[in-house]
Amino acid sequence: MRKPLIAGNWKMNKTNTETEEFLNELLEMDLDSEVEALICPPTIDLYLTRSILKDSSIKLGAQNMHNENQGAFTGETSPIMLTNLGVDYVILGHSERRSLFGETDDFIATKLASAYSNDLLPILCVGESLEEREAGSFQAVVKSQVSKGINGIDKEGLENLVIAYEPVWAIGTGRTASIEDASNMAKYIRKLIHEMYGEISEKVRILYGGSVKPENIKEFMAEEDIDGALVGGASLDAKSFASLVNYRR
Ligand code: PGA
Protein backbone atom coordinates (compact mmCIF):
# COMPACT_ATOMS: atom_id res chain seq x y z
CA MET A 1 0.00 0.00 0.00
CA ARG A 2 1.30 3.41 -0.95
CA LYS A 3 0.68 6.13 1.63
CA PRO A 4 -0.97 9.19 0.07
CA LEU A 5 1.26 12.27 0.01
CA ILE A 6 -0.04 15.83 -0.14
CA ALA A 7 2.83 18.23 -0.76
CA GLY A 8 2.54 22.00 -0.57
CA ASN A 9 5.04 23.78 -2.81
CA TRP A 10 5.02 27.39 -1.68
CA LYS A 11 7.42 28.52 -4.42
CA MET A 12 8.72 32.06 -3.75
CA ASN A 13 5.92 33.00 -1.35
CA LYS A 14 5.77 33.81 2.37
CA THR A 15 8.12 35.75 4.60
CA ASN A 16 9.28 34.33 7.95
CA THR A 17 6.38 36.11 9.65
CA GLU A 18 3.82 34.69 7.25
CA THR A 19 5.36 31.23 7.56
CA GLU A 20 5.02 31.35 11.32
CA GLU A 21 1.37 32.45 11.09
CA PHE A 22 0.53 29.70 8.61
CA LEU A 23 2.22 26.94 10.64
CA ASN A 24 0.69 27.97 13.94
CA GLU A 25 -2.73 27.96 12.32
CA LEU A 26 -2.08 24.55 10.72
CA LEU A 27 -0.92 23.01 14.00
CA GLU A 28 -4.32 23.83 15.52
CA MET A 29 -6.05 21.72 12.89
CA ASP A 30 -6.89 18.06 12.98
CA LEU A 31 -5.14 16.36 10.04
CA ASP A 32 -5.78 12.84 8.74
CA SER A 33 -2.84 10.78 10.03
CA GLU A 34 -3.23 8.24 7.21
CA VAL A 35 -2.14 10.92 4.76
CA GLU A 36 1.42 12.26 4.69
CA ALA A 37 1.43 16.05 4.78
CA LEU A 38 4.49 17.87 3.46
CA ILE A 39 5.34 21.57 3.44
CA CYS A 40 8.02 22.89 1.08
CA PRO A 41 8.68 26.51 2.04
CA PRO A 42 11.31 28.80 0.54
CA THR A 43 14.86 27.87 1.61
CA ILE A 44 15.08 30.84 3.94
CA ASP A 45 12.02 29.59 5.87
CA LEU A 46 13.26 26.00 6.29
CA TYR A 47 14.96 26.51 9.65
CA LEU A 48 11.96 28.26 11.15
CA THR A 49 9.58 25.66 9.72
CA ARG A 50 11.65 22.82 11.16
CA SER A 51 11.62 24.37 14.62
CA ILE A 52 7.86 25.02 14.60
CA LEU A 53 7.06 21.53 13.25
CA LYS A 54 9.53 19.70 15.50
CA ASP A 55 6.88 17.75 17.44
CA SER A 56 4.53 17.30 14.52
CA SER A 57 4.26 14.52 11.94
CA ILE A 58 4.09 17.08 9.12
CA LYS A 59 7.11 16.58 6.88
CA LEU A 60 9.50 19.24 5.64
CA GLY A 61 10.76 19.61 2.09
CA ALA A 62 13.07 21.90 0.13
CA GLN A 63 12.09 23.21 -3.30
CA ASN A 64 15.51 22.71 -4.87
CA MET A 65 19.17 22.07 -4.08
CA HIS A 66 22.57 21.88 -5.75
CA ASN A 67 24.13 18.51 -6.49
CA GLU A 68 27.45 19.24 -4.76
CA ASN A 69 27.90 19.02 -1.00
CA GLN A 70 29.94 22.21 -0.76
CA GLY A 71 32.03 24.59 -2.81
CA ALA A 72 32.10 27.80 -4.80
CA PHE A 73 28.44 27.93 -5.89
CA THR A 74 27.28 31.38 -4.81
CA GLY A 75 23.65 31.50 -3.81
CA GLU A 76 23.11 27.74 -3.81
CA THR A 77 22.01 25.32 -1.09
CA SER A 78 23.69 21.96 -0.64
CA PRO A 79 22.22 18.56 0.23
CA ILE A 80 24.22 18.26 3.44
CA MET A 81 22.88 21.62 4.61
CA LEU A 82 19.35 20.32 4.09
CA THR A 83 20.03 17.02 5.85
CA ASN A 84 21.65 18.84 8.75
CA LEU A 85 18.53 20.97 9.12
CA GLY A 86 16.29 17.92 9.34
CA VAL A 87 14.73 18.30 5.89
CA ASP A 88 12.95 15.12 4.73
CA TYR A 89 12.17 15.70 1.05
CA VAL A 90 13.53 17.72 -1.84
CA ILE A 91 11.66 18.72 -5.00
CA LEU A 92 13.89 18.29 -8.05
CA GLY A 93 13.41 19.37 -11.64
CA HIS A 94 10.29 21.46 -11.12
CA SER A 95 9.19 22.86 -14.48
CA GLU A 96 9.98 26.39 -13.27
CA ARG A 97 13.55 25.28 -12.55
CA ARG A 98 13.74 23.68 -15.98
CA SER A 99 12.27 26.55 -17.96
CA LEU A 100 13.39 29.64 -15.99
CA PHE A 101 16.75 28.44 -14.69
CA GLY A 102 17.84 26.17 -17.51
CA GLU A 103 18.05 22.91 -15.55
CA THR A 104 18.63 19.92 -17.81
CA ASP A 105 17.68 16.27 -17.31
CA ASP A 106 21.34 15.39 -16.81
CA PHE A 107 21.84 18.01 -14.10
CA ILE A 108 18.62 16.92 -12.39
CA ALA A 109 19.84 13.30 -12.45
CA THR A 110 23.01 14.30 -10.57
CA LYS A 111 20.85 16.04 -7.96
CA LEU A 112 18.72 12.93 -7.59
CA ALA A 113 21.79 10.78 -6.94
CA SER A 114 23.04 13.35 -4.49
CA ALA A 115 19.70 13.42 -2.65
CA TYR A 116 19.90 9.64 -2.18
CA SER A 117 23.43 9.74 -0.89
CA ASN A 118 22.42 12.39 1.65
CA ASP A 119 19.27 10.63 2.93
CA LEU A 120 16.88 13.09 1.32
CA LEU A 121 13.75 11.78 -0.37
CA PRO A 122 13.54 13.12 -3.92
CA ILE A 123 10.38 14.29 -5.64
CA LEU A 124 11.22 14.25 -9.33
CA CYS A 125 8.97 16.55 -11.35
CA VAL A 126 8.16 15.76 -14.96
CA GLY A 127 5.60 17.06 -17.42
CA GLU A 128 5.07 18.26 -20.95
CA SER A 129 4.44 21.75 -22.33
CA LEU A 130 1.23 22.74 -24.10
CA GLU A 131 2.93 22.49 -27.51
CA GLU A 132 4.15 18.99 -26.68
CA ARG A 133 0.67 17.97 -25.51
CA GLU A 134 -0.91 19.33 -28.68
CA ALA A 135 1.73 17.78 -30.91
CA GLY A 136 1.02 14.39 -29.29
CA SER A 137 4.61 13.93 -28.08
CA PHE A 138 3.71 14.12 -24.38
CA GLN A 139 4.45 10.47 -23.59
CA ALA A 140 7.84 10.63 -25.31
CA VAL A 141 8.72 13.81 -23.38
CA VAL A 142 7.76 12.34 -20.02
CA LYS A 143 9.48 9.04 -20.84
CA SER A 144 12.72 10.85 -21.54
CA GLN A 145 12.46 12.99 -18.37
CA VAL A 146 11.72 9.97 -16.17
CA SER A 147 14.32 7.64 -17.65
CA LYS A 148 17.08 10.26 -17.64
CA GLY A 149 16.13 11.47 -14.17
CA ILE A 150 16.27 8.09 -12.47
CA ASN A 151 19.03 6.65 -14.60
CA GLY A 152 21.75 5.27 -12.35
CA ILE A 153 19.84 5.09 -9.08
CA ASP A 154 19.84 1.77 -7.21
CA LYS A 155 16.76 -0.35 -7.48
CA GLU A 156 16.26 -0.17 -3.69
CA GLY A 157 16.17 3.62 -3.92
CA LEU A 158 12.95 3.38 -5.90
CA GLU A 159 11.07 2.40 -2.80
CA ASN A 160 11.45 5.98 -1.61
CA LEU A 161 11.03 7.68 -4.94
CA VAL A 162 8.24 10.15 -5.59
CA ILE A 163 7.50 11.32 -9.12
CA ALA A 164 5.25 14.33 -9.66
CA TYR A 165 3.54 14.54 -13.02
CA GLU A 166 2.81 18.20 -13.66
CA PRO A 167 1.75 19.18 -17.17
CA VAL A 168 3.31 22.63 -17.57
CA TRP A 169 0.13 24.11 -19.05
CA ALA A 170 -1.81 23.18 -15.90
CA ILE A 171 0.54 24.87 -13.40
CA GLY A 172 -0.84 28.03 -11.86
CA THR A 173 -3.25 28.45 -14.74
CA GLY A 174 -6.44 27.21 -13.13
CA ARG A 175 -6.59 24.68 -15.94
CA THR A 176 -6.23 21.09 -14.71
CA ALA A 177 -5.48 18.05 -16.81
CA SER A 178 -8.57 15.88 -17.18
CA ILE A 179 -8.77 13.13 -14.59
CA GLU A 180 -8.40 10.65 -17.42
CA ASP A 181 -5.26 12.30 -18.85
CA ALA A 182 -3.65 12.56 -15.40
CA SER A 183 -4.54 8.97 -14.59
CA ASN A 184 -3.29 7.66 -17.93
CA MET A 185 0.02 9.43 -17.48
CA ALA A 186 0.44 8.10 -13.94
CA LYS A 187 -0.19 4.57 -15.27
CA TYR A 188 2.23 5.17 -18.11
CA ILE A 189 4.97 6.34 -15.73
CA ARG A 190 4.50 3.27 -13.53
CA LYS A 191 4.67 1.03 -16.59
CA LEU A 192 7.92 2.70 -17.67
CA ILE A 193 9.49 2.15 -14.27
CA HIS A 194 8.27 -1.43 -14.36
CA GLU A 195 10.03 -1.93 -17.68
CA MET A 196 13.24 -0.50 -16.23
CA TYR A 197 13.20 -2.01 -12.75
CA GLY A 198 10.38 -4.56 -12.40
CA GLU A 199 7.91 -5.03 -9.57
CA ILE A 200 9.38 -2.34 -7.35
CA SER A 201 7.52 0.13 -9.57
CA GLU A 202 4.49 -0.64 -7.35
CA LYS A 203 6.25 1.14 -4.48
CA VAL A 204 6.94 4.40 -6.30
CA ARG A 205 4.50 7.14 -5.41
CA ILE A 206 3.19 9.19 -8.31
CA LEU A 207 1.66 12.59 -7.64
CA TYR A 208 -0.41 14.79 -9.91
CA GLY A 209 0.23 18.53 -9.86
CA GLY A 210 -1.32 21.50 -11.65
CA SER A 211 -4.15 23.62 -10.24
CA VAL A 212 -5.14 21.04 -7.61
CA LYS A 213 -7.52 22.51 -5.05
CA PRO A 214 -9.89 21.27 -2.30
CA GLU A 215 -12.74 21.16 -4.85
CA ASN A 216 -11.03 18.75 -7.26
CA ILE A 217 -8.57 16.70 -5.20
CA LYS A 218 -10.94 13.84 -4.43
CA GLU A 219 -11.40 12.98 -8.08
CA PHE A 220 -7.66 12.76 -8.70
CA MET A 221 -7.07 10.74 -5.55
CA ALA A 222 -9.73 8.22 -6.57
CA GLU A 223 -7.48 7.09 -9.44
CA GLU A 224 -5.51 3.93 -8.71
CA ASP A 225 -2.11 5.17 -9.86
CA ILE A 226 -2.33 8.68 -8.41
CA ASP A 227 -0.88 8.60 -4.91
CA GLY A 228 -0.98 12.25 -4.00
CA ALA A 229 -0.71 15.82 -5.17
CA LEU A 230 1.92 18.52 -5.50
CA VAL A 231 0.07 21.74 -4.85
CA GLY A 232 1.19 25.33 -5.36
CA GLY A 233 -1.43 28.07 -5.06
CA ALA A 234 -3.94 26.13 -2.94
CA SER A 235 -1.27 25.20 -0.38
CA LEU A 236 -0.64 28.80 0.66
CA ASP A 237 -3.66 29.05 2.91
CA ALA A 238 -3.66 26.85 6.04
CA LYS A 239 -7.37 25.98 5.83
CA SER A 240 -7.08 25.11 2.17
CA PHE A 241 -3.96 22.99 2.76
CA ALA A 242 -5.68 21.18 5.65
CA SER A 243 -8.70 20.37 3.51
CA LEU A 244 -6.40 18.96 0.82
CA VAL A 245 -4.75 16.70 3.41
CA ASN A 246 -8.19 15.75 4.71
CA TYR A 247 -9.56 14.89 1.26
CA ARG A 248 -10.88 11.54 2.52
CA ARG A 249 -13.24 13.14 5.02
P1 PGA B 1 -0.30 25.07 -8.82
O1 PGA B 1 1.26 24.67 -8.83
O2 PGA B 1 -0.98 24.14 -7.84
O3 PGA B 1 -0.33 26.50 -8.36
O4 PGA B 1 -0.81 24.88 -10.20
C1 PGA B 1 1.69 23.34 -8.78
C2 PGA B 1 3.20 23.26 -8.83
O5 PGA B 1 3.82 23.99 -9.63
O6 PGA B 1 3.83 22.47 -8.11
Side-chain angles (χ1 to χ4, degrees):
M1 275 306 288
R2 301 182 294 265
K3 188 168 188 176
L5 172 63
I6 305 297
N9 171 18
W10 287 0
K11 310 191 179 186
M12 198 174 72
N13 293 292
K14 292 199 193 292
T15 60
N16 257 235
T17 313
E18 290 163 342
T19 297
E20 195 168 359
E21 282 165 7
F22 175 105
L23 294 171
N24 288 332
E25 191 181 344
L26 188 65
L27 286 177
E28 292 299 311
M29 295 177 187
D30 173 35
L31 299 179
D32 185 344
S33 59
E34 301 297 311
V35 175
E36 198 173 1
L38 166 66
I39 301 280
C40 305
T43 311
I44 202 161
D45 296 325
L46 283 170
Y47 184 77
L48 173 70
T49 306
R50 178 76 290 162
S51 45
I52 298 178
L53 294 182
K54 65 179 184 313
D55 298 321
S56 139
S57 58
I58 300 168
K59 300 283 173 50
L60 178 63
Q63 298 174 13
N64 179 37
M65 66 173 201
H66 200 272
N67 63 332
E68 297 285 345
N69 281 345
Q70 67 270 308
F73 302 101
T74 302
E76 289 290 324
T77 307
S78 91
I80 55 170
M81 293 170 188
L82 299 180
T83 311
N84 183 256
L85 214 64
V87 169
D88 306 295
Y89 284 88
V90 60
I91 299 174
L92 297 174
H94 189 278
S95 67
E96 286 148 20
R97 300 291 325 163
R98 292 175 188 264
S99 67
L100 303 172
F101 302 97
E103 291 196 10
T104 62
D105 286 317
D106 291 341
F107 186 41
I108 295 161
T110 64
K111 294 184 184 208
L112 211 88
S114 176
Y116 276 114
S117 51
N118 286 286
D119 295 326
L120 294 162
L121 303 169
I123 300 178
L124 172 67
C125 298
V126 298
E128 80 284 0
S129 65
L130 186 57
E131 298 78 65
E132 290 160 343
R133 165 70 46 181
E134 286 171 348
S137 60
F138 51 97
Q139 284 195 339
V141 169
V142 169
K143 178 177 184 177
S144 156
Q145 291 172 339
V146 170
S147 54
K148 287 183 184 156
I150 66 175
N151 183 26
I153 65 170
D154 291 344
K155 192 171 173 180
E156 299 74 58
L158 289 176
E159 234 174 276
N160 297 317
L161 178 68
V162 179
I163 294 186
Y165 168 57
E166 301 200 304
V168 177
W169 46 272
I171 296 177
T173 57
R175 187 175 160 189
T176 55
S178 70
I179 307 292
E180 199 189 353
D181 287 343
S183 173
N184 286 343
M185 188 59 94
K187 268 192 193 31
Y188 176 70
I189 292 172
R190 200 174 306 285
K191 189 173 120 243
L192 268 180
I193 299 174
H194 188 267
E195 283 164 12
M196 291 172 78
Y197 292 94
E199 276 310 301
I200 200 150
S201 59
E202 286 303 313
K203 299 257 169 99
V204 175
R205 285 183 295 176
I206 301 176
L207 315 183
Y208 168 73
S211 299
V212 174
K213 41 186 190 283
E215 297 76 37
N216 61 21
I217 188 157
K218 257 199 175 118
E219 292 173 90
F220 287 106
M221 295 306 292
E223 295 299 312
E224 196 184 322
D225 284 289
I226 298 181
D227 307 309
L230 181 56
V231 188
S235 74
L236 292 170
D237 174 80
K239 285 189 191 67
S240 166
F241 182 70
S243 54
L244 289 164
V245 174
N246 291 336
Y247 73 89
R248 305 186 319 155
R249 293 184 178 164

